């Protein structure tokens, strides 16, 4: 199983310093996460236990600081809901074993009101004992596929994705189908694992980008094709590369959850983050953020030099991207889904 | 509070590649840890719970591989004790936030039969919710003091430790008293924290070096004094440096546990590890191991260059040390203590 950690450390292109898109998603979901906890969470185990421990997990936490902000919101909502109880909180920060947990741990808030743990491993498999998690959270993570769909790696397959790095923009339905099939397999594994781990009445909230990323990724693809056209990169390498990301629709999510059968869907909604990111930050900031997200997966396929060249070129196109964004970015949105364990 | 992680990564002087002394301690304690679990552990909470989760913590785990071997022993002993139950195990790997958790996580055994978590923070403070740990384990860790006793830092204090880097070898009782007082303060914090965290009938096993380290540290001290005598190092720097390690006696441990009042002492014993370390590994291997342990704390005080020079010189004295060890090392031993939460 592949893993593509965000850029590590705290350097100029590190994820820890460059995550306004995740912060935007976080702000967009803040109220909805709180409402889900206040209105839908229904954990009975607490009433019978002498020590009232609530276990929260953030799946695909990366290195912070957004995960700390998100977990503080969750803890506060739980405190407000159960204000007449004395609670203790355990927060489990999960990401791939290749994630930079050292940076995560060293930036944990000093004044946190929870016990903090790191959990290395893929969220497509089991990470916790049975019935041990009360609230699961995942933001901007489940759209990462566990691997590139295999059909896309075969030049002779009808799903060969010529000249593109993603299903966005293709007219080949086989390419899209391969992505959908991989997403469904991954979600089946994820839901099976969480169904074991989450207590009855416990919840899982998933937030995933719906349009925004799709629209900006293409600029990285066109930078790579520029390198092909200049004779600096073999086109086969671009054709055989496919970003392992699928942006599910509400219908996609409903389908996989219903197939799994262990969760009730409390809410599934496309939302428009209210932040003024486009006004406040320029295109360059956003493209540097995307670079922090994508450079790892690009380096893995193209090597560090080409990945860096493609990223640098994409950031240099900021003016062009800025004009495009002002015309298009308003329509970016995210998918919010709240599930309750039956 | 200071922290002095073992040398990180997996380079030639890294702790992960150089820990035969810890392995020796581990082998020496193996049978006793098992006996403590089989004979003394008495956790009632499991009988009433629908999901039988056992929580184990290793305090001061460093980066492995010894912690993985130790935790596998503990899990196996628990499986044997409760062989008629279906259990799930959570193992919490604790060390300072400066510990190299990335290396720890990346070397976790693939075939482990437990869920693994990292817990960053000092074990002198709280790390877990109340009554959430069933078995606590700490090997070769509690002899690290949270800081150098302050009296030793004042040139005008009667506890000024001239020409030495430890209480070993001093005739100044004030130096020893300062170490003892710091150890008692640290253990009080540790026991208070664990008393909250460990369930009734749960246990804590502590293993700490008693003689062996004491005997070898002096060679690092004499290398530093060589540098002083050659005019390469200010003697004040050596006088003001004191290794923050205290090697408690059975009486020291009994005193602090009885003062705390929350634990029954099931066993306290000085043991002679049965391993043939001196025969199998030469003095050089052992001194490289000590270097991996001490270089961090030496660098912190003397700077990297002097620390490296002192360590390199000490390793070069391997022949002399080897002769000394063959005559003296047999008497090295470790203190084992098993506590049960009242």
């Amino acid at each position: 199983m592949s893993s593509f950690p965000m850029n590590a450390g705290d350097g100029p292109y590190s994820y820890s310093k460059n995550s306004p898109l995740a912060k935007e998603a976080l702000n967009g979901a803040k109220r909805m996460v709180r409402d889900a906890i206040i209105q839908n969470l229904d954990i009975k185990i607490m009433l019978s236990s002498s020590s009232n421990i609530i276990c929260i997990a953030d799946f695909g936490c990366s290195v912070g600081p957004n995960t700390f902000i998100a977990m503080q919101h969750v803890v506060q909502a739980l405190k407000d809901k159960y204000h007449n109880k004395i609670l203790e909180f355990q927060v489990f920060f999960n990401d791939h074993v290749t994630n930079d947990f050292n940076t995560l741990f060293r930036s944990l808030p000093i004044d946190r009101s929870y016990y903090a743990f790191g959990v290395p491993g893929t969220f497509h498999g089991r990470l916790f004992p049975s019935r041990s998690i009360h609230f699961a959270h995942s933001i901007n993570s489940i759209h990462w596929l566990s691997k590139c769909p295999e059909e896309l790696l075969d030049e002779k397959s009808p799903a060969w994705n010529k000249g593109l790095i993603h299903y966005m923009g293709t007219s080949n339905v086989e390419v899209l189908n391969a992505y959908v099939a991989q997403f469904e397999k991954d979600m089946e594994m994820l839901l099976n694992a969480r169904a074991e781990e989450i207590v009855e009445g416990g919840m899982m909230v998933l937030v995933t980008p719906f349009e925004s990323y799709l629209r900006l990724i293409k600029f990285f693809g066109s930078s790579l094709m520029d390198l092909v056209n200049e004779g600096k990169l073999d086109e086969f390498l671009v054709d055989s590369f496919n970003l392992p990301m699928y942006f599910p629709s509400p219908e996609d999510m409903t389908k996989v959850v219903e197939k799994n059968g262990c969760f009730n869907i409390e809410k599934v909604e496309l939302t428009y983050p209210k932040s003024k990111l486009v006004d406040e930050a320029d295109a360059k900031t956003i493209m540097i953020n995307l670079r922090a997200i994508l450079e790892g997966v690009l380096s893995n396929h193209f090597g560090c030099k080409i990945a860096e060249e493609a990223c640098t070129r994409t950031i240099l196109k900021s003016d062009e991207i800025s004009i495009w964004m002002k015309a298009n970015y308003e329509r970016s949105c995210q998918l919010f889904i709240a599930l309750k364990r039956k």
Side-chain angles (χ1 to χ4, degrees), chain A residues 129-238:
Chain A
S130 307
R131 296 178 296 284
S132 66
I133 297 296
H134 300 97
F135 189 81
H137 179 274
S138 185
I139 194 160
N140 279 3
S141 295
I142 63 151
H143 62 292
W144 282 98
L145 301 176
S146 67
K147 59 180 183 180
C148 173
E150 274 167 30
E151 303 89 312
L152 301 180
L153 300 174
D154 176 6
E155 204 176 355
K156 301 203 176 68
S157 154
W160 182 248
N161 194 16
K162 194 164 173 60
L164 295 172
I165 63 166
H166 197 242
Y167 63 82
M168 175 67 176
T170 184
S171 56
N172 180 349
V173 71
E174 299 290 342
V175 171
L176 180 62
N177 287 348
Y179 269 96
V180 171
Q182 187 64 48
F183 174 75
E184 288 179 351
K185 266 184 256 174
D186 287 347
M187 278 303 291
E188 191 177 343
M189 289 193 288
L190 184 150
L191 290 169
N192 285 343
R194 298 299 89 71
E196 294 291 328
E197 295 166 357
I198 296 175
V199 299
E200 190 188 329
M203 294 191 73
M204 173 156 63
V205 158
L206 305 171
V207 181
T208 190
F210 184 62
E211 285 273 308
S212 53
Y213 280 74
L214 281 168
R215 297 171 164 276
L216 296 164
I217 281 167
K218 69 171 185 180
F219 291 101
F220 290 86
S222 60
S223 293
L224 285 162
M225 284 307 290
D226 290 348
L227 291 170
V228 169
N229 294 331
E230 291 167 26
K232 292 177 177 162
L233 178 63
D234 184 350
E235 192 185 344
F236 180 86
L237 275 176
V238 178

Side-chain angles (χ1 to χ4, degrees), chain A residues 92-110:
Chain A
F92 295 91
F93 294 94
N94 159 257
D95 212 315
H96 280 288
V97 71
T98 51
N99 185 50
D100 186 358
F101 281 95
N102 287 346
T103 295
L104 177 82
F105 285 169
R106 287 164 201 183
S107 51
L108 273 165
I110 303 273

Side-chain angles (χ1 to χ4, degrees), chain A residues 74-140:
Chain A
V74 168
V75 167
Q76 191 55 52
L78 287 160
K79 280 184 181 171
D80 292 345
K81 182 179 176 100
Y82 299 106
H83 56 87
N84 53 350
K85 291 189 192 299
I86 294 163
L87 299 175
E88 291 186 283
F89 297 93
Q90 288 189 306
V91 175
F92 295 91
F93 294 94
N94 159 257
D95 212 315
H96 280 288
V97 71
T98 51
N99 185 50
D100 186 358
F101 281 95
N102 287 346
T103 295
L104 177 82
F105 285 169
R106 287 164 201 183
S107 51
L108 273 165
I110 303 273
D111 61 346
R112 63 190 184 271
S113 57
Y114 53 81
Y115 297 101
F117 307 91
V119 193
T122 169
F123 54 57
H124 292 120
R126 283 291 296 276
L127 295 164
F128 298 95
S130 307
R131 296 178 296 284
S132 66
I133 297 296
H134 300 97
F135 189 81
H137 179 274
S138 185
I139 194 160
N140 279 3

